Amino acid sequence: MPRRDPIEIEIFKNLFHSIAEEMGAALRRTAFSPNIKERRDYSCAVFNAAGEVIAMGDHMPVHLGSMPMSVRAAIEKLQLGPGDVAMLNDPFCGGTHLPDVTLVMPVLVGAGFVGTRGAHKNAARKRRADFFVAARAHHADIGGAYAGSMGLCREIYQEGVRIPPVYLVRRGAMQNDVLHFLLSNVRTPQEREGDLRAQLAACHTGAARLQELCVRYGMGRVRAAQRDLLEYSEEMMRAFLVSVPAGSYQAEDFLDDDGITAAPVKIQVRVTFTPAVRAAKHGRVLATVDFAGSDPQVAGPINAVEAITYSACFYVFRCLLSEDVPATAGLMLPIQVIAPAGTVVNARPPAAVAGGNVETSQRIVDVLLRAIAQALPERIPAAASGTMNNLTMGGIDPRTQQPFAYYETIAGGMGAPPGKDGVSGVHTHMTNSLNTPAEALEYAYPFRLTEYSLRKHSGGDGRFRGGDGIVREIELLTEAEVTVLADRRGHGPYGLQGGEDGQPGKTEVVRHDSTRESLPGKTSVRLRAGERIRIESPGGGGFGNRSQCSQKES
């Protein structure tokens, strides 16, 4: 096999990455909802003809690692040709949870975007796509029993509209029956349509840039670059895996509860690294991640589907490599993930899954890192806040007399890594979003932000302190349904190497007379105008025993 040109790899790695990033910028600029415009709760990626990811934007890890399953489902279920766009959100068919709607567009170089009458167009429709582009966005409401579609449901049918792979656009024409069906089942149809059209704009942007790329460099060179990127990513992952001390490393961690019962929910993992002497053969699995021993799927909405568990594994192992390694499908080829069906890490229908994407994904990362820390103690940080503190609020806006649905996640403390303190007030691990700015929040919704500050001393103590969490308090200016899906309320994020745990989070209602009422981490309440919801997010765990500090460090 000819030797790969490292300069060529670097050039095309950045070219493909820039396309995914530009797709994200187009989506952000044209979206309607603050959740996408301000919080950036979206992700975009580029795939080859086989549906293998070749580039990801610097977006949401929980979206990106699972997106290939959505693309594969769209390819398998539909005959995608020029001018077609697939839409899906079904968690049991490549999705994550119902609010995450994914659009998938095929790209046929030289065929144009829209199929019309004519022999050459008919021939183009029979061609295999040269690429696929995909844009996923979290819609602030997708129907269901709770405003924001993130409530304490017991089955997926209560959580919102479940969309298998369908054509949203067919031969360049919007499928209005599909669109109208969806918009008739959500609380904020204009906002949903605006966000969907922004996702379409993102896909068209990616398709146009890929067309330009192939015209400039030639299809043969581009195909060779794709293959080289996949092989290079795989080789870099293999080189890392054989450097890890061989053996099996086991860990477990718990979610507080499922929101329906008070019982903690266990996630258990065993990570096995193959001895280097037996790892030489190309194609051999070098690491096995086995979640056997995790609890069966539960009644509440914290079940994770297989795509989420795979995504968390992708994220963890990607983080263990240097930043310049391309984030492609090649990374996971030497790694086997075993997630037993019917468990909380691979739930089966009709399980409720809204919180699996946002809460269970975080705990999967925590338990994976805890296991790998036994093999690489000098590389792994203490646990971060471990929850996205999902907050949804819905009601009727008195300014417009129209329904509103608001969603955000709230940052927390980063776990202290070896060698330095953790960062305070930051989104970590499977989320990469932002908090909604006060100005945007108060402009778009009948709310007032009454406090937004760091939660002092909430990070775990140690030689290196965990980052502090956040205090976020919002006053409602109208009656609204308020739902919180959060975790790490019973036990704080773990410290490592003798570091102390971070402080657990808190959820409270502040009444008109300023009295505070404590709420469970997973709850839904009806609040009156003038009442406030207050969330104090967990701090990160500390790293190292403080007694080990030198006088200078102290």
Side-chain angles (χ1 to χ4, degrees):
M1 188 177 72
R3 182 177 178 84
R4 290 190 298 270
D5 183 347
I7 296 175
E8 188 89 343
I9 289 175
E10 188 67 17
I11 289 171
F12 278 95
K13 180 195 78 172
N14 287 286
L15 285 170
F16 285 126
H17 179 259
S18 71
I19 292 171
E21 280 288 287
E22 188 175 351
M23 289 174 65
L27 175 51
R28 182 176 69 251
R29 288 197 305 266
T30 55
F32 276 36
S33 67
N35 187 53
I36 298 174
K37 286 189 301 184
E38 304 290 351
R39 293 193 56 254
R40 306 188 183 188
D41 197 344
Y42 62 82
S43 297
C44 299
V46 179
F47 301 79
N48 66 11
E52 298 169 313
V53 64
I54 55 175
M56 300 174 172
D58 296 328
H59 302 145
M60 301 283 286
V62 73
H63 289 171
L64 292 166
S66 56
M67 202 184 292
M69 293 187 182
S70 291
V71 173
R72 188 158 59 246
I75 294 171
E76 291 173 354
K77 300 291 184 181
L78 304 174
Q79 297 295 320
L80 294 172
D84 295 343
V85 180
M87 174 176 68
L88 70 156
N89 75 346
D90 187 352
F92 302 107
C93 191
T96 52
H97 63 177
L98 297 182
D100 284 345
V101 178
T102 305
L103 301 191
V104 181
M105 175 187 283
V107 182
L108 283 75
V109 174
F113 302 142
V114 181
T116 57
R117 291 190 301 272
H120 68 291
K121 293 297 183 183
N122 289 332
R125 290 199 63 80
K126 295 178 182 178
R127 272 181 50 198
R128 187 182 183 187
D130 298 299
F131 303 93
F132 292 91
V133 292
R136 174 175 286 173
H138 183 113
H139 286 252
D141 185 87
I142 200 72
Y146 293 84
S149 312
M150 294 284 288
L152 301 183
C153 299
R154 291 175 177 262
E155 55 184 7
I156 194 169
Y157 310 115
Q158 299 171 314
E159 293 188 316
V161 180
R162 183 176 167 192
I163 310 167
V166 295
Y167 292 104
L168 180 63
V169 180
R170 183 68 164 154
R171 302 190 183 193
M174 178 69 76
Q175 302 301 283
N176 289 319
D177 53 350
V178 174
L179 181 63
H180 291 162
F181 173 82
L182 175 61
L183 299 181
S184 297
N185 285 280
V186 300
R187 294 169 176 83
T188 50
Q190 288 184 325
E191 188 176 272
R192 300 287 63 75
E193 182 176 3
D195 286 348
L196 280 172
R197 291 187 182 276
Q199 289 177 257
L200 283 172
C203 288
H204 279 288
T205 297
R209 296 298 173 263
L210 286 168
Q211 296 270 0
E212 294 167 4
L213 182 71
C214 293
V215 168
R216 179 175 181 181
Y217 292 100
M219 197 65 210
R221 189 175 173 188
V222 172
R223 284 199 179 105
Q226 294 177 46
R227 183 178 61 251
D228 289 347
L229 284 168
L230 290 168
E231 291 176 353
Y232 175 63
S233 297
E234 180 184 358
E235 289 179 8
M236 293 300 290
M237 180 60 78
R238 288 185 178 279
F240 164 73
L241 293 175
V242 298
S243 72
V244 179
S248 291
Y249 307 94
Q250 183 171 316
E252 64 180 28
D253 205 340
F254 295 83
L255 292 151
D256 293 337
D257 54 66
D258 69 350
I260 304 298
T261 71
V265 180
K266 181 176 71 173
I267 297 176
Q268 182 173 303
V269 71
R270 180 183 295 275
V271 184
T272 303
F273 295 97
T274 302
V277 69
R278 291 164 39 205
K281 185 179 178 182
H282 186 74
R284 185 182 179 90
V285 171
L286 302 184
T288 300
V289 183
D290 188 353
F291 289 94
S294 298
D295 277 351
Q297 63 190 65
V298 294
I302 62 165
N303 299 290
V305 294
E306 185 178 21
I308 290 298
T309 300
Y310 181 90
S311 183
C313 295
F314 183 99
Y315 165 78
V316 167
F317 281 93
R318 172 68 184 87
C319 287
L320 293 171
L321 302 181
S322 59
E323 292 183 5
D324 59 349
V325 176
T328 76
L331 291 176
M332 290 297 285
L333 291 179
I335 302 168
Q336 179 185 24
V337 178
I338 301 172
T343 65
V344 73
V345 295
N346 185 5
R348 310 310 300 156
V353 298
N357 180 66
V358 287
E359 295 303 297
T360 309
S361 67
Q362 296 285 64
R363 195 64 70 254
I364 294 170
V365 169
D366 287 342
V367 73
L368 262 175
L369 290 175
R370 197 171 202 170
I372 296 172
Q374 299 167 41
L376 301 171
E378 75 288 353
R379 294 284 306 277
I380 306 301
S385 60
T387 175
M388 296 192 197
N389 298 289
N390 302 271
L391 174 63
T392 54
M393 295 187 279
I396 302 296
D397 192 330
R399 300 171 298 182
T400 63
Q401 299 306 311
Q402 295 297 313
F404 69 88
Y406 172 68
Y407 171 72
E408 74 170 8
T409 59
I410 299 172
M414 171 184 164
K420 60 182 178 181
D421 293 341
V423 179
S424 297
V426 63
H427 289 270
T428 52
H429 294 324
M430 298 303 283
T431 176
N432 190 30
S433 58
L434 305 173
N435 288 137
T436 309
E439 298 84 356
L441 178 73
E442 295 179 356
Y443 175 80
Y445 301 99
F447 305 147
R448 181 180 295 117
L449 188 63
T450 53
E451 184 175 351
Y452 185 33
S453 62
L454 291 178
R455 186 185 175 202
K456 297 295 186 183
H457 310 299
S458 56
D461 200 5
R463 184 176 185 183
F464 302 103
R465 286 192 59 87
D468 288 332
I470 277 179
V471 177
R472 192 160 170 92
E473 186 178 278
I474 299 173
E475 180 183 351
L476 281 67
L477 304 182
T478 188
E479 183 179 353
E481 179 183 55
V482 178
T483 303
V484 178
L485 277 183
D487 210 80
R488 292 292 196 203
R489 270 27 184 188
H491 299 281
Y494 61 78
L496 280 181
Q497 306 297 322
E500 295 183 4
D501 295 349
Q503 290 294 313
K506 296 180 183 179
T507 306
E508 296 178 324
V509 169
V510 183
R511 302 296 183 183
H512 290 97
D513 59 1
S514 297
T515 59
R516 295 186 181 184
E517 178 183 326
S518 181
L519 296 178
K522 302 171 184 68
T523 188
S524 186
V525 294
R526 193 85 184 175
L527 297 186
R528 297 167 293 177
E531 295 182 322
R532 291 170 276 166
I533 184 73
R534 179 183 178 89
I535 293 178
E536 300 183 15
S537 65
F543 188 93
N545 195 316
R546 190 169 182 81
S547 64
Q548 297 173 348
C549 295
S550 67
Q551 186 174 359
K552 182 178 180 180
E553 288 173 328
S554 299

